[in-house]
Amino acid sequence: MKIANLILAAGSSTRMQQTKQVLPYKDTTLLGNAVQQAESTALLDVYVVLGANAAEIKKEINVKEKQVFNNLNWKKGLGSSIAHGIVELQKLDEEYNAVLISLADQPLIDSAYLTKMVSLFSTSVSTIVATNYGDRVGVPAIFDSEYFAELRQLNEDFGAKEILIKHASEIVMVEPNGKEIDVDTQQDYNSIAH
């Protein structure tokens, strides 16, 4: 089973008022941490979708050029970054069974959590594994390749929400137990950067 991990890191961090992808976190940056956690599962091929401030961010991350997809339409939101990532993945000489979509700004999502998701996906008859937010499900989420065509059609700032709602009966949920916090403001960052 081959799974690609698309780490979405294309936004301009308007609420943070600085490039949050490169903010220090542990011994790296927020985005660097997301890459490290995914790579240390050894179960995922890791790719990063950049957009705003791409040149600055690229200098700070330790990934090969072919692992970086630059979404020129990043202003259209998360959906466009997912769609761009899927289009780029399908150009590669790889056949992926599924894609794990995750965010650069959820630093508590660690390799253990990602491993649990992959293991659930591998052993379940369900075609989607998603994170339970109580009132909804969201990312990180794994989508079987049968959803690639739908993911490619995304173009607004809804991310994969519509697809998750549409295929709710196919979803196995994972409890994040507090790991789902995302860093949008300076206050959020201060609370995790201790």
Side-chain angles (χ1 to χ4, degrees):
M1 166 118 14
K2 276 182 75 92
I3 301 180
N5 179 196
L6 283 181
I7 300 175
L8 307 181
S12 61
S13 329
T14 40
R15 281 182 280 178
M16 184 69 82
Q17 297 175 327
Q18 56 184 313
T19 307
K20 84 176 154 187
Q21 295 91 329
V22 297
L23 286 174
Y25 183 72
K26 295 191 173 168
D27 57 350
T28 177
T29 58
L30 281 179
L31 177 54
N33 175 67
V35 169
Q36 278 179 6
Q37 296 303 324
E39 286 181 339
S40 65
T41 67
L43 302 166
L44 300 162
D45 288 0
V46 180
Y47 300 92
V48 177
V49 182
L50 296 181
N53 310 307
E56 175 194 350
I57 296 167
K58 211 183 279 190
K59 281 189 263 184
E60 298 287 333
I61 53 172
N62 186 19
V63 291
K64 296 183 181 77
E65 189 66 36
K66 68 180 177 100
Q67 290 174 271
V68 177
F69 303 148
N70 199 1
N71 178 19
L72 299 177
N73 295 317
W74 61 268
K75 283 185 181 151
K76 290 186 177 170
L78 272 181
S80 83
S81 287
I82 294 170
H84 180 74
I86 298 291
V87 168
E88 292 300 311
L89 278 180
Q90 292 186 312
K91 289 181 187 171
L92 300 174
D93 200 17
E94 301 279 356
E95 281 289 321
Y96 286 109
N97 305 95
V99 63
L100 165 60
I101 295 169
S102 60
L103 305 175
D105 63 359
Q106 287 186 310
L108 305 183
I109 295 288
D110 56 10
S111 59
Y113 187 80
L114 298 173
T115 300
K116 182 178 179 181
M117 292 191 82
V118 170
S119 145
L120 258 175
F121 182 79
S122 307
T123 56
S124 163
V125 292
S126 290
T127 49
I128 300 174
V129 174
T131 298
N132 186 5
Y133 284 81
D135 57 339
R136 62 187 173 86
V137 292
V139 296
I142 301 178
F143 294 88
D144 187 271
S145 58
E146 72 183 69
Y147 299 104
F148 284 7
E150 281 183 73
L151 291 165
R152 282 176 67 147
Q153 302 303 315
L154 296 173
N155 59 12
E156 301 302 330
D157 196 13
F158 300 123
K161 186 168 78 175
E162 301 302 312
I163 296 173
L164 291 168
I165 292 167
K166 182 176 166 189
H167 299 288
S169 61
E170 292 298 321
I171 298 174
V172 173
M173 287 192 282
V174 183
E175 296 300 330
N177 302 320
K179 291 182 178 180
E180 73 280 13
I181 294 164
D182 55 345
V183 175
D184 286 325
T185 64
Q186 190 64 46
Q187 196 178 350
D188 296 338
Y189 176 63
N190 295 344
S191 72
I192 56 99
H194 42 264

